[in-house]
Every structure is written in C-alpha cells, then in structure tokens.
Amino acid sequence: MRLITAVVKPHRLDEVKEALRSAGVRGLTVTEASGYGRQRGHTEVYRGAEYTIDLVPKVRIEVLVEDDDAEQVIEAIVKAARTGKIGDGKVWSVPVDTAVRVRTGERGPDAV
Amino acid sequence: MNGADTAFVLISAALVMLMTPGLAFFYGGMVRVKSALNMLMMSFISLGIVSVLWVLYGYSLAFGEDSGAGLVGGLDHLGLAGIDAGTLTGGRTGIPVFAFALFQLMFAVITPALMSGALADRVKFSAWSLFITLWVTVVYFPVAHWVWQPDGWLYQLKVIDFAGGTAVHINAGVGGLAAVLVVGARVGFKKDPMRPHSLPLVMLGAGLLWFGWFGFNAGSALAADGTAATMALNTQVATAAAMLGWLGYERVRHGAFTTLGAASGAVAGLVAITPSGAAVNALGALVIGVAAGTACSWAVSLKYRLGFDDSLDVVGVHLVGGVIGTLLVGVLAVDGVGGAAQLGRQAAGAFAVMAYSFTVSWLLARFIDRVIGFRAAEDDEISGVDQAFHAEAAYDFSAVGGVAQSRAHVPALAPGASGAGGAPGAGGAPGAAIRSKGEKDEKNEKGTTGKKVDV
C-alpha cells in the first residue's frame, strides 16, 4: 500500500476529486493547509501598510491506494491539478505498513 | 408644535443611534480575531453609559441655561427636570425638547465611541468605561455647549459647525490621540502583521454609518425643510467624492483599489461634510469630499512615520477630515458668508476644541492610568482581550478548538480554560510580516533564486 499526498491550489479541489473518482479511488481525506513553494506568497495592502503573506492557502489531499494503482492515481491528480502557473503544488507518495478499517477490523489491502 | 419636524427629528435620532453599532462593525472588522468582540463592545458600551449620564446630568450640562461665559450649561435640568412632553424648542413652530434631547443624545453616544479605534486591542474594558464616563462629562458635554447652545462661546463667535465637525470629529480625533500617547503602542506595532480580520464587516459598518449619517447631518436642521434637503444631498455628494478620492490616491500610490480604502474614504467624506450644513452647495460638497478623501488617505501613513499607534486611524480620518471640513466651510460657504474672516473663525473654533480636548483627555487618561491602570496586562493583550475581559471568542472554530462545556457540568472550569476558540488567529495571520516600502521585492527575489522548498 502507498499513501499519496497532494498539496494543490484550493480551486482545483473539485477537479482533483472528480479525477480520483474516475480513477476508482473510493475514499480520501482533505485538509486546509498553508504553505509556500517557489511562488513565495503575495502582497496585501491595508490603508497603505503593505504586508507580505508568506503562507498561501492550499488544500492537502491524502489517498491510501494499493501499490499497483499508485502511479495511475498520481497521474490523475497531477493532470487535474495543473494550471501551468507557479504555485500549482506538489504530489508525493510513501509506503504504508499497516492499514485498518475501524468498523470491521479488516487489515492491509482489504482496508483500502 | 410642528408635527412634520418632530417626526423628522425622531426618525433622525433613530438613524444616528444605528451609527454606533455601525461604527462597532466598522472598527470590529479591522482588528484581529482575538480582539474583535472587545472592539465591538468598546462602541456598544457607550450606548449604555452615555444614555444614562445624559438623563442624569449630560443634557443639562450641554443644553441647559448657560452658567456664564458660554462655557457650560447649568444644573437646572438634572434628571431632565423642568421638561415635559409639552416643552418645545427651536424649529419654525417648535419640536418637543424630548425629541431634541434624544437626537442630541445619539451624538453624545457616538463621539466617545469614535475614540475606541485609536486604542484597539490593548486597554482594560473597565478603564475604557471609566474613561468615556469622565470624558463625556468634562470634554464632550461642555464642548457641545460651546458649539450648539445659542449662548455657547463658539456659537456666539459664529463658527459654522452644523452637525459636529468640531464638537464630534475633531474632539474625538484629538481625544483619541491624547489617550494613545498615554497608553502607548500595541505590542508588535510596526513589526507584527495586524491585518483586518473581516473586511466584509468593515463594509457593513461603513454602509450603516453612511445610512445613519443622513440623520446625523440632515437631522441637525431640526426641521424637515430645505436646509435638511441641502444637507442630505451634500452628504451623499461629499461621501461619494471622498471615496473616489481615497481610491484614486491609493491606486496611484499602492497599486490597488482596496475595499478598506473605499470604506475609509466614504467615512472621511462623511466626517468632512458634517460641519458645512447648508452653508455650501453641492459643488462645494464635491470639493470638500475630494479634498478629504485624498488628504485622509495620505494622513493615515503619518502614524508609522511619527510612531504613535493610532490603531484604526481615528486621527487620520476623524481629526484630519474634521479639520479639513471645518476649514473649507470658511472658504466655500455661499451667500457671502465665506471668506478670510470666516476662515479665521473656523480656525479659531477648531483650534480651541483641539487645545481643550487634547489637554483634558490627556489628563484624564493619565489619571485613569495612575488610579486603576489603563492598559491591559501584556499577557492578556498578546493572547487577546476578548478572552481576558469578555470570556468569549468572536468565532467558534470548534472542529479543532475543543467542545465548549457548560460550567454547570464542570464546576471547576475557569472561564477560558476549555480552550475553545481562543487560540486560532491569536497572533494575526500566520506567516505574514509587515514591511515598509523599499524592501518591497527582496523576499520575492530570494524566493525565486533560493533553495527549493517543499510544496
């Protein structure tokens, strides 16, 4: 099993969700997140006082998948999240030892 | 008694009443989450305190028979003694004194509330309540007497202050400045980001102020007549022009048409047109509006240069706007009134109010600081005065903030100990930092050439 984490622009969330549904993913977790990458925040002005806002809003999407599905799911996320402009985000995956479905106690790939 | 005039003044009183909650929203949206409720309450408490004082002695000090030299009213009308529903004042055939007193009460309520913006985030609520109690007593009531009571010395001097440029706006602007100089800057002033937490609230507040101001200005005619109509029109024209003036200056200077700028410009215009009444025509109102909008937009940057933390720009908007409006009436007044002589009278009136209000407000603030301490404890200021003085949080972030529990079920729980909602946003926006012009692009450049970072 692998845990795929994607940090993307908030307004791409609906597209990413739709792409994941099409790719057969049955569950995901979304968190509001803040961060910066190469785009480094933005500037806001309040009555002439300028503020640099380093951390910009992002959404963090986490999906647990079986090993064989990982590449396809990553591709689906990347395609759906891309706008081509700086600040589109990042996707990565890590191996997962254990997964348990809380309701039934199923373990491993059955729990995905 | 004139029924039309009476109805108009009563409705105007209700309009002006709505300005104080409007001001609360206008200011409340501009502070950080951790002190939003306190900001609302600093205005709201004035509705409570000043209304009570007004009946007890405020009306008498402001509008009672002059006690000599035009400085303050006598004590004949303590508890509104000697006035009943049939007692009439002013107007063509008179309106009930009760209608006039109610209308004027609303001015007395909003004036101290205006000062609260200067002291955002950092004063004890008890000290603030005491401050406005003393301030209306020794500053506002006498100054209102000077300006509006026919025996008042500025009235006698023929200073034009139709609806309160000197008595309300210059008075509050200077009073706020004096209090700031005693209380000092917020922790983190000029270093930490202090972004407005809700610009929609600011816009709502500005809209309510604009609406209520028709009562404030036109209602000051105390009659449903041509003067009221002229003033209502002038109010709209000046406010519109000031909003455009502020936005234009801001676009040139800072590159954007901001929401906060639109709201602030409108308020600056409302302030500046207040003293003129029907003494100027619509074109004069236009000039006053543009002048106030651009000048105030510039003036709000002074606090950073001069180093006084007038948090929400009471000086930059109300004092500067009030002075501009008061002086321009001297120049722009029609019907042969305007000219050098009137300008001199206007300047004298503005200066007299500034000198008196600054001195007495400073002494009062010092007195309160000495006796009970004006300023909140540093810990309370940093974690937020909402929790410290009101035991509440403006917004419920309960998904991660914990579930609120009733004290009835958890007797040992101290206010604030549940942890609900207090922490989020406590330090302003995460990752934001204030900077002055000049270092503008340093960070962006570093970002593109520097080390690659996650996300």
Side-chain angles (χ1 to χ4, degrees), chain A residues 47-62:
Chain A
R47 281 185 176 164
E50 297 189 12
Y51 296 89
T52 31
I53 310 302
D54 269 351
L55 301 176
V56 294
K58 297 282 169 191
V59 292
R60 177 187 175 110
I61 303 160
E62 287 166 302

Side-chain angles (χ1 to χ4, degrees), chain B residues 186-219:
Chain B
R186 287 168 292 181
V187 172
F189 176 60
K190 289 209 266 192
K191 291 200 305 278
D192 296 348
M194 294 175 177
R195 282 198 294 175
H197 91 279
S198 172
L199 288 172
L201 272 192
V202 174
M203 288 300 253
L204 173 68
L208 288 174
L209 282 170
W210 193 333
F211 178 71
W213 225 294
F214 286 106
F216 195 92
N217 282 351

Side-chain angles (χ1 to χ4, degrees), chain B residues 90-154:
Chain B
R92 285 161 302 189
T93 47
I95 60 169
V97 170
F98 284 159
F100 173 72
L102 181 70
F103 179 69
Q104 280 294 337
L105 160 60
M106 300 313 173
F107 287 60
V109 165
I110 196 169
T111 306
L114 289 171
M115 296 189 292
S116 65
L119 298 171
D121 300 347
R122 60 186 182 290
V123 297
K124 283 198 231 167
F125 190 67
S126 53
W128 166 254
S129 302
L130 180 59
F131 180 66
I132 64 173
T133 300
L134 299 176
W135 192 85
V136 288
T137 305
V138 299
V139 180
Y140 182 79
F141 297 153
V143 171
H145 182 84
W146 299 359
V147 175
W148 288 319
Q149 222 279 356
D151 294 322
W153 75 277
L154 291 179

Side-chain angles (χ1 to χ4, degrees), chain B residues 341-378:
Chain B
Q342 186 61 33
L343 179 62
R345 287 194 279 269
Q346 297 298 108
F351 181 77
V353 174
M354 275 193 262
Y356 178 74
S357 178
F358 184 86
T359 309
V360 179
S361 304
W362 190 84
L363 290 171
L364 284 179
R366 281 297 301 250
F367 169 74
I368 286 169
D369 201 38
R370 186 70 62 86
V371 177
I372 60 171
F374 209 143
R375 190 159 182 146
E378 194 172 322

Side-chain angles (χ1 to χ4, degrees), chain B residues 305-397:
Chain B
R305 260 178 272 167
L306 303 178
F308 62 96
D309 183 11
D310 170 19
S311 313
L312 309 181
D313 302 309
V314 179
V315 174
V317 175
H318 293 274
L319 176 57
V320 173
V323 168
I324 287 171
T326 300
L327 294 183
L328 281 181
V329 174
V331 182
L332 297 169
V334 289
D335 296 336
V337 177
Q342 186 61 33
L343 179 62
R345 287 194 279 269
Q346 297 298 108
F351 181 77
V353 174
M354 275 193 262
Y356 178 74
S357 178
F358 184 86
T359 309
V360 179
S361 304
W362 190 84
L363 290 171
L364 284 179
R366 281 297 301 250
F367 169 74
I368 286 169
D369 201 38
R370 186 70 62 86
V371 177
I372 60 171
F374 209 143
R375 190 159 182 146
E378 194 172 322
D379 282 355
D380 290 339
E381 184 185 340
I382 290 169
S383 61
V385 286
D386 284 3
Q387 280 286 316
F389 303 127
H390 308 293
E392 292 169 307
Y395 303 96
D396 181 7
F397 300 108

